[in-house]
Amino acid sequence: MTLQFTPEDHPKIPNEKVGVLLMNLGTPDGTDYWSMRRYLSEFLSDPRVIEAPKWLWQIILQGIILTTRPSKSGEAYKEIWNKEKDESPLRTITRDQATKLQKALAKDYPNIVVDWGWRYGNPAVKERIEELQKQGCNRILLFALYPQYSATTTATAYDKCFDALKTMRWQPAVRCVPAYHDAPVYIDALAKSVTEGIAELSWEPDVTIASFHGLPVEYHEKGDPYYCHCAKTTRLLREKLGWSEDKLKLCFQSLFGPKEWLKPYTQPTVEEMARNGVKNLVILTPGFSVDCVETLEEIDIGVREAFLENGGENFAFIPCLNDSDAGMDVIKEITLRELQGWV
């Protein structure tokens, strides 16, 4: 039998590894007008996010919305910007999640390489997939950090990865992490964050709200499972905490455009509660794996102000799971579950 050896001039092939790519929505590079405009233009041009005739929507987007919205959004980002690192909290925390996951897996799984990237903005998932391949990853787990599935979030994140794969002559094998809205480790982590968050308060909440990012009703009617996933997460969290439906309510935030969105809307609900005598309110945002402008500015600043201005007295925001120990347990367990057979 003749042994085949690699020719001397053959390109060096790195040892085979497995990549894990953590993905989230993305963030602008800065709070200035042009940074915000570039980011919003990419985000709002996504047909998964805005389902409208492209030619008509681009006239509205480029001619009207992107004239004024970047400045307004920039002011919101300034309220929560990580000034020490000159970046958004989403970037800071997502990077920390990747670093902690790499460290947690290093001892038992030294052949796993963890990276992170965005659906919109920098670093883009295309360059991260290419970098993982350069490091020898011929198998990559794509992990969109959205507990509840929606075409506007999970699907478009994976779309972007598939677009990158289409340009590669030698594609790595890939797997996509499914929704984990009902995973016991996720529900346990949420319950722990609620219990510990309330224990730190000097008062007891009259009501707690689980506020999820909104979605046009039309998308739900077309078959998007997002509402059902949000409702199930909330129900399982109630059961874990032993609470009634009156004590933990489901609401939706971050509305955009004239269409009807999933109800009840968070801010109007909070204002009505305050006017009707609710004095002590706690809000958590289970659909966000990382704190961002929608949680830190919209909820912890904007909704807080609305509650207090309408007669409320005590308001508390429970942070996202972020890179907390419980949050990292969720990411690690789901990663290892989806890597079965690869590691």
Side-chain angles (χ1 to χ4, degrees), residues 200-219:
E200 294 176 356
L201 303 175
S202 60
W203 45 272
E204 285 289 326
D206 301 321
V207 181
T208 298
I209 289 177
S211 181
F212 294 82
H213 198 291
L215 187 78
V217 171
E218 177 187 351
Y219 296 7

Side-chain angles (χ1 to χ4, degrees), residues 88-130:
S88 72
L90 180 65
R91 184 184 301 274
T92 304
I93 299 169
T94 303
R95 183 175 56 241
D96 290 345
Q97 287 176 325
T99 300
K100 288 186 176 183
L101 181 61
Q102 181 75 75
K103 184 177 180 180
L105 298 174
K107 181 179 178 181
D108 296 326
Y109 306 97
N111 68 323
I112 293 180
V113 180
V114 180
D115 206 338
W116 59 280
W118 303 139
R119 168 58 181 88
Y120 315 103
N122 302 303
V125 293
K126 181 178 188 296
E127 66 181 63
R128 303 328 303 159
I129 290 174
E130 291 172 348

Side-chain angles (χ1 to χ4, degrees), residues 49-324:
V49 174
I50 306 295
E51 295 184 10
K54 185 176 180 179
W55 66 270
L56 176 60
W57 174 242
Q58 282 300 315
I59 292 174
I60 298 171
L61 177 62
Q62 301 297 332
I64 302 174
I65 295 173
L66 293 181
T67 300
T68 58
R69 192 172 179 89
S71 297
K72 182 179 179 181
S73 296
E75 291 303 312
Y77 270 94
K78 286 177 184 178
E79 293 284 340
I80 54 97
W81 201 250
N82 183 337
K83 295 179 175 62
E84 179 184 349
K85 295 179 181 289
D86 190 23
E87 62 187 22
S88 72
L90 180 65
R91 184 184 301 274
T92 304
I93 299 169
T94 303
R95 183 175 56 241
D96 290 345
Q97 287 176 325
T99 300
K100 288 186 176 183
L101 181 61
Q102 181 75 75
K103 184 177 180 180
L105 298 174
K107 181 179 178 181
D108 296 326
Y109 306 97
N111 68 323
I112 293 180
V113 180
V114 180
D115 206 338
W116 59 280
W118 303 139
R119 168 58 181 88
Y120 315 103
N122 302 303
V125 293
K126 181 178 188 296
E127 66 181 63
R128 303 328 303 159
I129 290 174
E130 291 172 348
E131 178 59 29
L132 285 170
Q133 189 182 48
K134 288 178 183 177
Q135 295 183 58
C137 298
N138 61 353
R139 302 181 186 196
I140 299 176
L141 177 68
L142 306 174
F143 194 162
L145 291 167
Y146 304 112
Q148 296 77 26
Y149 178 95
S150 174
T152 62
T153 53
T154 314
T156 191
Y158 294 145
D159 284 348
K160 199 68 173 178
C161 294
F162 302 150
D163 287 343
L165 292 169
K166 287 190 295 186
T167 68
M168 301 173 72
R169 184 168 297 277
W170 187 359
Q171 293 178 333
V174 298
R175 289 179 178 175
C176 299
V177 172
Y180 53 99
H181 62 289
D182 56 359
V185 67
Y186 165 64
I187 300 300
D188 288 348
L190 290 178
K192 184 174 186 288
S193 72
V194 172
T195 301
E196 292 181 350
I198 290 177
E200 294 176 356
L201 303 175
S202 60
W203 45 272
E204 285 289 326
D206 301 321
V207 181
T208 298
I209 289 177
S211 181
F212 294 82
H213 198 291
L215 187 78
V217 171
E218 177 187 351
Y219 296 7
H220 170 68
E221 293 173 343
K222 289 180 177 179
D224 197 301
Y226 180 72
Y227 174 81
C228 300
H229 286 189
C230 295
K232 187 172 185 181
T233 293
T234 307
R235 175 176 61 80
L236 292 174
L237 180 56
R238 280 195 203 105
E239 293 173 358
K240 186 70 179 180
L241 293 168
W243 289 3
S244 67
E245 190 169 341
D246 289 337
K247 192 169 182 178
L248 179 62
K249 294 185 175 293
L250 168 66
C251 290
F252 296 91
Q253 63 180 85
S254 308
L255 315 179
F256 176 77
K259 291 184 178 181
E260 181 184 4
W261 284 48
L262 298 177
K263 294 179 179 178
Y265 300 149
T266 300
Q267 183 158 323
T269 298
V270 165
E271 292 172 352
E272 183 179 3
M273 283 181 175
R275 289 192 293 267
N276 290 337
V278 172
K279 299 300 182 184
N280 307 304
L281 179 67
V282 167
I283 296 187
L284 67 150
T285 51
F288 298 88
S289 60
V290 176
D291 277 314
C292 54
V293 70
E294 287 88 354
T295 67
L296 298 175
E297 194 279 333
E298 183 179 355
I299 298 296
D300 199 22
I301 296 177
V303 173
R304 176 190 293 273
E305 290 176 354
F307 179 68
L308 298 177
E309 288 172 359
N310 282 275
E313 295 180 358
N314 295 301
F315 179 99
F317 169 70
I318 294 178
C320 296
L321 295 177
N322 294 323
D323 61 336
S324 65

